[in-house]
Amino acid sequence: MKTPAPPSRPLEALRELTPARVGLGRSGASMPTDALLAFTLDHARARDAVHAAFDAPHLVAGLAGLGLEVSEVSGQARDRGDYLRRPDLGRLLDPDSRRALEERSGGAGEIVIVIGDGLSPAAVNLHAIELVRHLAPRFTEAGIRCGHVVVASGARVALGDEIGAVLGARMVVMLIGERPGLSAPDSLGAYLTFAPRIGLTDEKRNCVSNIHGAGLSYDEAAFKIAWLVREAIARQVTGVALKDESGTALISARPID
């Protein structure tokens, strides 16, 4: 059989398959002007995503429209600058938020969903409601009860540990804006923690990342998250002890032609 000829311009073909900066070319000893301008634009978009306003009222209204009970809380950072300089302040609730959650403790159900701004509020504003819309029916089908959703401003991933512990949830699903990259300023991540409590470290969590228009779709992400939640509750563990085998489950669930 004749081997197909390689493309005459392989770098151009490669660029069609990835948003990574490959084969940019050069102008003398520098990169071409169009490549420099594209880099500058993407860098500006990433910075804008970090400093975007977190639209908590929009999220609360959208989640309530899905029939969910919603609470609002805040971390201990006073403002965005404080949040970026002091990551530790985003891992603990401010006193008023903790007291408000303590009044609602005991009714969280098996899991609580926390939606935090993280390092890309833009990603959360754009994707969180639609992801929850796809996720909620999968929880219902699996018989998993979600008590309510908490919208958290000034949040780092570990803030979900305190929220889950105060509410008495068996498990926390934290949806949070991921650190913007030059090809994806609006990427959402989901962090899953069984038996949440203050002081846990990241090896106790599972992560489903890269949820955005050019990454994981809402339906793909919801499938992975629901699979991991179901298995975590059954095995009573998350993190390095729970491997994501949802892809195998998806293949076995597909009908054979």
Side-chain angles (χ1 to χ4, degrees), residues 63-179:
L63 294 164
L66 298 178
L68 298 167
E69 184 180 354
V70 189
S71 303
E72 273 192 81
V73 300
S74 299
Q76 294 184 358
R78 294 166 298 179
D79 53 39
R80 192 66 178 170
D82 207 19
Y83 170 86
L84 294 173
R85 288 187 296 268
R86 293 281 307 276
D88 57 307
L89 297 179
R91 299 180 184 125
L92 293 172
L93 290 165
D94 70 24
D96 290 341
S97 294
R98 184 178 176 95
R99 281 192 292 270
L101 285 184
E102 285 173 341
E103 294 175 358
R104 309 182 69 165
S105 63
E110 285 189 298
I111 67 168
V112 60
I113 298 175
V114 181
I115 298 177
D117 46 1
L119 288 171
S120 179
V124 187
N125 295 339
L126 184 60
H127 301 303
I129 293 173
E130 283 305 310
L131 179 56
V132 174
R133 190 192 307 275
H134 284 72
L135 189 56
R138 293 190 179 275
F139 284 159
T140 301
E141 291 170 6
I144 298 168
R145 187 171 72 88
C146 178
H148 61 275
V149 181
V150 178
V151 174
S153 302
R156 300 280 176 167
V157 171
L159 189 68
D161 298 340
E162 183 177 7
I163 292 171
V166 169
L167 290 174
R170 295 186 70 193
M171 188 168 178
V172 166
V173 176
M174 166 68 100
L175 308 181
I176 193 166
E178 297 183 299
R179 180 180 289 107

Side-chain angles (χ1 to χ4, degrees), residues 17 54 80:
L17 302 176
F54 185 49
R80 192 66 178 170

Side-chain angles (χ1 to χ4, degrees), residues 128-252:
I129 293 173
E130 283 305 310
L131 179 56
V132 174
R133 190 192 307 275
H134 284 72
L135 189 56
R138 293 190 179 275
F139 284 159
T140 301
E141 291 170 6
I144 298 168
R145 187 171 72 88
C146 178
H148 61 275
V149 181
V150 178
V151 174
S153 302
R156 300 280 176 167
V157 171
L159 189 68
D161 298 340
E162 183 177 7
I163 292 171
V166 169
L167 290 174
R170 295 186 70 193
M171 188 168 178
V172 166
V173 176
M174 166 68 100
L175 308 181
I176 193 166
E178 297 183 299
R179 180 180 289 107
L182 293 176
S183 60
D186 62 343
S187 181
L188 188 71
Y191 292 82
L192 288 63
T193 309
F194 186 81
R197 62 187 184 279
I198 294 175
L200 291 180
T201 49
D202 287 342
E203 92 281 355
K204 297 293 186 182
R205 315 185 202 285
N206 289 89
C207 177
V208 177
S209 63
N210 207 36
I211 305 166
H212 60 92
L216 277 181
S217 69
Y218 300 133
D219 196 54
E220 290 171 323
F223 181 87
K224 281 181 171 288
I225 294 167
W227 188 93
L228 285 165
V229 168
R230 186 180 67 247
E231 293 299 315
I233 292 174
R235 305 182 199 186
Q236 300 188 30
V237 67
T238 48
V240 296
L242 178 62
K243 303 303 181 185
D244 181 3
E245 298 172 340
S246 59
T248 303
L250 180 60
I251 291 171
S252 63

